[in-house]
Amino acid sequence: MKNNDLEISKRRSSTNIVLGLILAFFVMLIFSVTVVKLSNGDKMQAYDHVLRPEMLTDE
Amino acid sequence: MLSKSETDYSSADLTAFFELMKPRVMRLVIFTTVVGMVASQEFIHPVIAIASVIFIGLGAGAAGALNMWWDSDIDFMMARTDKRPIPSGKVKPEDALYFGLFLSVLSVMMLGLIANFLAAFILGFTIWFYIFIYSIWLKRRTPQNIVIGGAAGAFPPVIGWVATSGNIGLESILMFLLIFIWTPPHFWALSLFSHSDYHRANVPMLNVTYGKPHTRLQILLYTLALTIISVGISFSSLGGIFYFISALILNGYLIYLAVRVYFQNEQLSIGLNMKYEKKLFLFSISYLFVLFGMILLEALMDRFQIASVNFQLIDIFFR
């Protein structure tokens, strides 16, 4: 019976390691997408009521 | 001491969940998605492209898991499917359901945030179509199950195209049609040599309801329709000289096999151990891979402007 428990806990720990790696990959993926989206973002007039002269287009 | 259900659950290792996602189908989905993305000729950041492909692949996996959950009652009756995770007892049906639902929501939501909402909508529609229209509604009711249900497998290049370009172009519809018309002869060839499986599981495949001779005729007719579409693509902006030559060779051999299958009768095909039916089924997989590979090649040559070998057939034939 003890061997059986040991086997199950071994399997669980390897499953947990793989799941941990998948989650870490997911976090890295979302982080990289966020960085790319922010660095590729167009110039935006933020909602801070401050005029940005560089965004004014010539009439 | 662990209870019975806990020990069962712990033995459901991750590979069983991976199998639930139908990895072979997922591979084809990922490949055609990438082709759709590159063919659109729109530049997006590689990180965005990779993330989009991952979530489109996960969406396909979600559809696979939900399909296996719904079909678990018939999967154990067929030799082709009785090793799947649910009938073999590796995964509990409700776990497959929750896994599929979780992945569906995750993949659609993330594709919307990463690429655009039109692509996410089409991905969501594809999963819905595969589960509700194909698996639940059509598969066990009509011999047209494969014809209409095949649309689900035809959407990935459109999703790839939309993810990069933001709109549905004519070329993405051509790629959709290529897979859509390819699906029936591919699966009917399989059903000819898995006849008893479908019969036992009471799935009304064409050969179960209308007989094998009629199925052989339909395979030939769909193959001819497929030839028109796949050769026709040569003259769109997707095609080019390499695609054209490949399409001629591949369609020539596909028609040859379809004709051989058409002229088989029951005794002859059993005597040959269903040789031509199996050949047609296997060859049709390579057929689709190579044609999409050629679309990819032509798109890459366009993108990198390899002018010496890159010219549009439409210019030669029609101008």
Side-chain angles (χ1 to χ4, degrees):
Chain A
M1 214 31 91
K2 263 205 162 159
N3 277 345
N4 194 22
D5 285 354
L6 197 68
E7 178 65 23
I8 288 166
S9 83
K10 260 188 185 173
R11 273 193 187 188
R12 278 201 171 157
S13 76
S14 67
T15 301
N16 289 342
I17 289 168
V18 176
L19 266 180
L21 290 174
I22 292 171
L23 284 174
F25 173 74
F26 186 73
V27 169
M28 280 311 297
L29 188 69
I30 303 302
F31 179 69
S32 324
V33 167
T34 310
V35 169
V36 170
K37 288 245 171 198
L38 288 178
S39 53
N40 278 1
D42 293 331
K43 284 179 183 168
M44 284 178 284
Q45 196 83 51
Y47 294 105
D48 55 1
H49 308 287
V50 178
L51 181 70
R52 270 148 230 249
E54 70 272 20
M55 290 195 66
L56 295 175
T57 50
D58 296 330
E59 292 292 317
Chain B
M1 198 52 220
L2 296 163
S3 70
K4 177 81 177 78
S5 63
E6 277 175 306
T7 49
D8 278 348
Y9 186 74
S10 71
S11 68
D13 57 329
L14 292 173
T15 50
F17 280 92
F18 183 65
E19 280 171 43
L20 269 183
M21 296 164 75
K22 299 194 177 181
R24 275 188 299 177
V25 176
M26 221 158 65
R27 203 166 55 193
L28 191 65
V29 165
I30 289 172
F31 178 60
T32 55
T33 300
V34 170
V35 175
M37 283 178 149
V38 178
S40 77
Q41 300 291 357
E42 296 282 343
F43 178 79
I44 56 167
H45 195 285
V47 170
I48 304 289
I50 291 167
S52 301
V53 170
I54 287 172
F55 286 108
I56 294 168
L58 280 184
L66 291 172
N67 168 269
M68 283 204 195
W69 163 73
W70 179 258
D71 277 346
S72 57
D73 59 329
I74 55 169
D75 276 352
F76 79 94
M77 292 185 221
M78 300 196 278
R80 193 172 70 84
T81 52
D82 65 0
K83 306 281 186 303
R84 283 178 172 178
I86 300 176
S88 64
K90 287 184 204 157
V91 174
K92 285 188 277 184
E94 60 267 34
D95 288 345
L97 171 65
Y98 297 138
F99 181 63
L101 287 175
F102 168 72
L103 282 187
S104 303
V105 174
L106 179 80
S107 58
V108 172
M109 199 177 73
M110 291 310 297
L111 188 65
L113 292 172
I114 290 170
N116 56 62
F117 287 104
L118 182 59
F121 171 78
I122 303 172
L123 179 66
F125 177 79
T126 306
I127 298 170
W128 173 84
F129 190 91
Y130 187 59
I131 302 309
F132 286 94
I133 303 296
Y134 172 67
S135 303
I136 297 180
W137 185 36
L138 295 174
K139 185 173 177 180
R140 303 185 197 192
R141 279 193 179 79
T142 161
Q144 295 300 310
N145 48 14
I146 284 302
V147 179
I148 304 163
F155 274 115
V158 182
I159 302 172
W161 180 284
V162 173
T164 48
S165 69
N167 57 64
I168 303 171
L170 171 72
E171 291 84 353
S172 74
I173 295 170
L174 287 174
M175 287 188 281
F176 173 90
L177 283 176
L178 184 62
I179 304 179
F180 184 65
I181 304 294
W182 166 88
T183 309
H186 168 74
F187 278 104
W188 284 332
L190 169 73
S191 73
L192 281 175
F193 59 85
S194 309
H195 179 82
S196 54
D197 263 7
Y198 288 110
H199 195 69
R200 203 167 35 244
N202 221 7
V203 177
M205 288 298 278
L206 195 64
N207 53 338
V208 176
T209 53
Y210 285 81
K212 287 189 177 180
H214 183 73
T215 308
R216 293 174 196 281
L217 172 67
Q218 290 290 329
I219 287 176
L220 183 60
L221 294 176
Y222 269 88
T223 302
L224 295 175
L226 180 61
T227 302
I228 295 169
I229 290 165
S230 64
V231 176
I233 286 178
S234 311
F235 303 100
S236 74
S237 66
L238 292 175
I241 192 73
F242 293 106
Y243 176 92
F244 181 61
I245 293 167
S246 312
L248 285 183
I249 297 168
L250 291 167
N251 281 292
Y253 191 57
L254 195 75
I255 290 173
Y256 163 75
L257 287 175
V259 169
R260 290 305 295 250
V261 167
Y262 175 68
F263 284 110
Q264 298 289 305
N265 59 40
E266 234 10 58
Q267 277 184 325
L268 200 62
S269 59
I270 291 169
L272 288 169
N273 197 23
M274 293 282 179
K275 182 182 160 194
Y276 289 107
E277 290 82 351
K278 286 176 183 169
K279 261 192 173 176
L280 179 64
F281 172 73
L282 288 175
F283 177 70
S284 63
I285 299 171
S286 321
Y287 171 96
L288 201 65
F289 257 109
V290 174
L291 281 185
F292 269 86
M294 287 299 142
I295 293 175
L296 183 69
L297 179 73
E298 299 284 358
L300 288 172
M301 289 199 311
D302 274 353
R303 179 165 291 184
F304 296 109
Q305 297 181 330
I306 305 172
S308 56
V309 287
N310 174 36
F311 49 91
Q312 294 288 315
L313 282 171
I314 197 164
D315 296 334
I316 304 168
F317 284 88
F318 301 110
R319 277 178 201 162

